[in-house]
Amino acid sequence: MQLAFLDTKLSKEVKRKTEKLMSSYKNLEAIIESKKLDASPKMVVNYQPSESQRGNQFHSETEQLAMNKMDIEEYTRTKRKLDLVYYSLKPTQQRIWDQKFLLGRYDVDVYSDLNIPDRTYYRLKREMIAVVAEAFGFI
């Protein structure tokens, strides 16, 4: 798909969701690894009552492990999609993503450091956000 046909005018909610997703890109690997650690079954002798004996519990440890594995799959899928989008962007857009969304810098600082005009910066940023929103079906 060509960027010329991509609608870069996004609603505030779509833009906010997309930017939040882009900002979480650096943390996804840590989240996936911590979920994997939580998903490993514990084989420890325990003299406490088991989940099935506690009464008013809604799910067992096995169900919790299954839900953790589904979360891991979802986070992994999101990370892979973001990887694909990130590496398909122009090098300038990748640097904008790094500085703006991963380092949390202000727009003015980013386009000053990259030595690009502010109009070009905002156009590239809009295109980049539109591509991510399209990839995740927010549009």
Side-chain angles (χ1 to χ4, degrees):
M1 178 170 58
Q2 295 178 351
L3 286 179
F5 299 118
L6 191 62
D7 184 20
T8 58
K9 295 186 189 233
L10 304 173
S11 69
K12 286 184 180 181
E13 183 179 337
V14 168
K15 186 178 175 189
R16 185 182 49 77
K17 280 174 51 175
T18 305
E19 287 180 346
K20 184 177 178 183
L21 187 66
M22 292 168 73
S23 295
S24 70
Y25 178 61
K26 68 178 178 180
N27 298 326
L28 283 176
E29 192 64 39
I31 292 170
I32 291 169
E33 289 305 314
S34 70
K35 290 272 188 189
K36 283 181 182 178
L37 290 174
D38 291 342
S40 61
K42 294 152 186 76
M43 299 296 209
V44 178
V45 175
N46 190 357
Y47 295 108
Q48 304 237 344
S50 70
E51 294 289 332
S52 62
Q53 297 172 342
R54 287 205 181 151
N56 239 353
Q57 298 294 322
F58 293 114
H59 54 272
S60 67
E61 185 177 345
T62 307
E63 290 172 326
Q64 185 65 38
L65 290 174
M67 289 190 298
N68 276 348
K69 288 190 187 268
M70 287 175 29
D71 287 346
I72 291 169
E73 289 173 9
E74 184 63 33
Y75 281 121
T76 304
R77 192 174 311 116
T78 301
K79 173 92 168 82
R80 286 179 47 206
K81 274 186 180 182
L82 284 173
D83 283 341
L84 287 171
V85 171
Y86 179 83
Y87 290 114
S88 70
L89 295 173
K90 300 171 187 171
T92 306
Q93 288 175 323
Q94 289 178 353
R95 289 194 302 271
I96 291 171
W97 186 329
D98 291 341
Q99 291 190 22
K100 173 68 180 158
F101 297 105
L102 300 184
L103 298 177
R105 300 184 67 204
Y106 293 111
D107 290 326
V108 176
D109 297 333
V110 175
Y111 66 73
S112 296
D113 282 353
L114 295 177
N115 293 323
I116 56 175
D118 57 343
R119 272 183 78 168
T120 304
Y121 168 79
Y122 288 112
R123 180 181 48 80
L124 290 171
K125 183 180 164 190
R126 244 189 343 268
E127 287 174 2
M128 175 178 56
I129 291 171
V131 169
V132 174
E134 180 69 31
F136 282 89
F138 295 157
I139 296 178

